[in-house]
Amino acid sequence: MKFSTDREVLLRTLLLVTGVVERRQTLPVLANLLVVAKDGVLSLTGTDLEVELVATESSVDIQQEGEATIPARKLADIWRSLPENAQVKVEVEGDRAIIRSGRSRFSLATLPAQDFPTVESGPGDVEFKVSQSVFRGLLDQVSFSMAQQDVRYFLNGMLLEVAPEHLRTVATDGHRLAMCTAPDSGTGDTRIQAIVPRKGVLELGRLLDGGAEEVFVQLGANHLRVSLGSVTLTTKLVDGKFPDYEKVVPRDISRIILGDRETLKQAFLRASILSNEKYRGVRLIVEGEQLTIQANNPEQEEAEEIVPVEYSGDRVEIGFNVSYLQDVLNVLRTEQVQFSVSDANSSALIEGPGNENALYVVMPMRL
């Protein structure tokens, strides 16, 4: 195999595909990228056996066809460190890949291409197209609520729901829930649910840049495949049943608090400085038209913030994990935020007025 190209042609593609490769591997070949030069097209593939990313590039000068696996991070680091607009030549000789650019020369150990595994995926049961901005928004609005290494493995990912009337994403870690709906973006005749693993969601977020190009999505029984231009991401699905999220959303709400999102965001940030680092709890007291935020820690240090709000109910006192509130305020894009609670022991429903497509549920804490 032998090809040459301009550094910039492959830089973003190389970094994108290398992002899938895990630093710690069970198989040595998984630390490599599968590089295939054939029919005037260069193909790069990276995988960790759960997520696979394939990118093709046609504007590469291929002098000799062939295939090999080349160490992913070393290749990406070499490519990134070369000067801008440098010409790069890659040649595979035996079990070595030789990379030349100007007066630089690198020799990397390769492994046989036939040892490289692929993520198996059958035909898609549902296929649809959706704009990048819509799909990226569905991910960004909920991905922070996914669990990390929870024993309830079905929480370590994001629910993707495809229905005739909408596309919806839901994520929860058992203490909070995030839900985002894209109306009029649905497809099919029935409601289909799939749990996309955490790694797949994060790689999808890196792939989508919010541009005008549409995304082609194929959802099968055990895989999700997303194609954008010359890049295709395939991820296995989590085999499990996601909780009935509709039961978690509070319906019986008697107290509604309306406040400025940026003001509240800054107040929570300052109060969190003196919250207990282990429990991150803050006490919210709503009385009249003001919200008092109180935080303390084992050293008996205290913080208090008073924020003006719109509220006309009885005095209510409730505790929350301040990090969960901050996460919600960071992804909301509305100027105001609405907190809805019924009492001190019930979950809070958080929404951005005027944006009914996204809602968040945060469970209270006992302080």
Side-chain angles (χ1 to χ4, degrees):
M1 181 172 67
K2 190 176 182 181
F3 65 88
S4 59
T5 183
D6 190 80
R7 170 186 178 265
E8 270 57 43
V9 170
L10 278 184
L11 182 61
R12 182 181 181 270
T13 304
L14 199 52
L15 296 179
L16 198 62
V17 177
T18 302
V20 177
V21 178
E22 292 287 348
R23 292 187 182 275
R24 293 181 180 177
Q25 296 296 347
T26 50
L27 294 170
V29 76
L30 290 177
N32 289 12
L33 296 183
L34 175 63
V35 183
V36 180
K38 190 177 181 183
D39 300 330
V41 176
L42 186 74
S43 165
L44 303 174
T45 305
T47 185
D48 66 350
L49 296 180
E50 184 180 78
V51 179
E52 177 186 85
L53 195 63
V54 183
T56 57
E57 185 57 63
S58 55
S59 51
V60 173
D61 181 17
I62 296 173
Q63 289 104 35
Q64 184 183 333
E65 292 188 346
E67 58 182 13
T69 73
I70 304 175
R73 300 206 178 275
K74 290 173 186 171
L75 182 62
D77 289 344
I78 289 169
W79 216 273
R80 186 166 34 195
S81 65
L82 292 171
E84 283 187 24
N85 300 314
Q87 282 293 310
V88 191
K89 295 179 181 179
V90 179
E91 185 175 359
V92 175
E93 300 171 350
D95 62 352
R96 295 279 152 181
I98 313 298
I99 300 145
R100 294 185 178 90
S101 179
R103 296 185 177 183
S104 303
R105 179 184 177 277
F106 306 89
S107 174
L108 298 178
T110 64
L111 289 170
Q114 57 265 30
D115 294 348
F116 195 82
T118 56
V119 174
E120 291 183 21
S121 60
D125 299 330
V126 178
E127 297 180 352
F128 59 92
K129 286 185 176 179
V130 62
S131 77
Q132 264 201 81
S133 56
V134 169
F135 204 38
R136 176 72 187 261
L138 285 168
L139 300 179
D140 289 348
Q141 294 283 310
V142 307
S143 57
F144 67 88
S145 282
M146 294 186 294
Q148 293 190 53
Q149 298 176 327
D150 198 296
V151 290
R152 297 164 294 180
Y153 60 93
F154 49 83
L155 298 184
N156 300 321
M158 176 194 79
L159 177 73
L160 176 63
E161 181 177 285
V162 183
E165 65 279 359
H166 66 239
L167 267 181
R168 177 175 287 166
T169 51
V170 186
T172 179
D173 61 4
H175 303 287
R176 51 170 171 187
L177 177 139
M179 182 170 86
C180 186
T181 307
D184 307 320
S185 296
T187 187
D189 303 319
T190 57
R191 187 170 77 159
I192 296 175
Q193 293 187 335
I195 305 174
V196 185
R198 181 183 180 84
K199 173 84 179 278
V201 174
L202 298 179
E203 290 303 326
L204 267 174
R206 291 178 63 237
L207 173 61
L208 303 172
D209 57 14
E213 202 173 351
E214 280 195 317
V215 182
F216 180 57
V217 182
Q218 295 172 288
L219 184 59
N222 58 7
H223 77 281
L224 171 74
R225 176 173 290 154
V226 178
S227 302
L228 175 63
S230 60
V231 183
T232 301
L233 184 143
T234 306
T235 174
K236 290 182 177 178
L237 298 175
V238 176
D239 183 17
K241 183 164 176 57
F242 201 78
D244 185 354
Y245 61 85
E246 291 183 350
K247 287 184 178 177
V248 178
V249 179
R251 303 294 180 195
D252 180 24
I253 291 162
S254 56
R255 297 177 172 91
I256 294 176
I257 306 150
L258 201 62
D260 181 75
R261 184 182 68 87
E262 190 59 35
T263 305
L264 283 164
K265 183 178 162 184
Q266 296 301 326
F268 284 134
L269 176 64
R270 291 189 293 269
S272 69
I273 296 168
L274 296 187
S275 67
N276 186 323
E277 290 181 9
K278 190 174 181 182
Y279 297 108
R280 303 286 288 162
V282 293
R283 179 178 278 106
L284 307 187
I285 303 164
V286 196
E287 190 171 19
E289 292 206 333
Q290 72 175 32
L291 167 68
T292 304
I293 305 164
Q294 295 177 344
N296 54 53
N297 58 32
E299 288 78 44
Q300 305 299 314
E301 297 167 331
E302 296 178 355
E304 183 175 282
E305 292 276 341
I306 297 176
V307 181
V309 292
E310 293 179 33
Y311 177 69
S312 57
D314 300 332
R315 182 182 191 275
V316 63
E317 190 174 319
I318 189 166
F320 288 108
N321 182 317
V322 70
S323 298
Y324 295 168
L325 301 178
Q326 287 176 294
D327 286 342
V328 172
L329 296 183
N330 283 335
V331 297
L332 280 176
R333 292 290 172 260
T334 52
E335 287 189 10
Q336 289 195 303
V337 60
Q338 178 178 298
F339 290 83
S340 306
V341 294
S342 54
D343 56 54
N345 299 313
S346 61
S347 299
L349 176 65
I350 308 174
E351 301 168 279
N355 177 21
E356 287 75 32
N357 296 336
L359 60 85
Y360 304 91
V361 179
V362 179
M363 289 178 65
M365 283 181 75
R366 296 197 175 185
L367 298 176

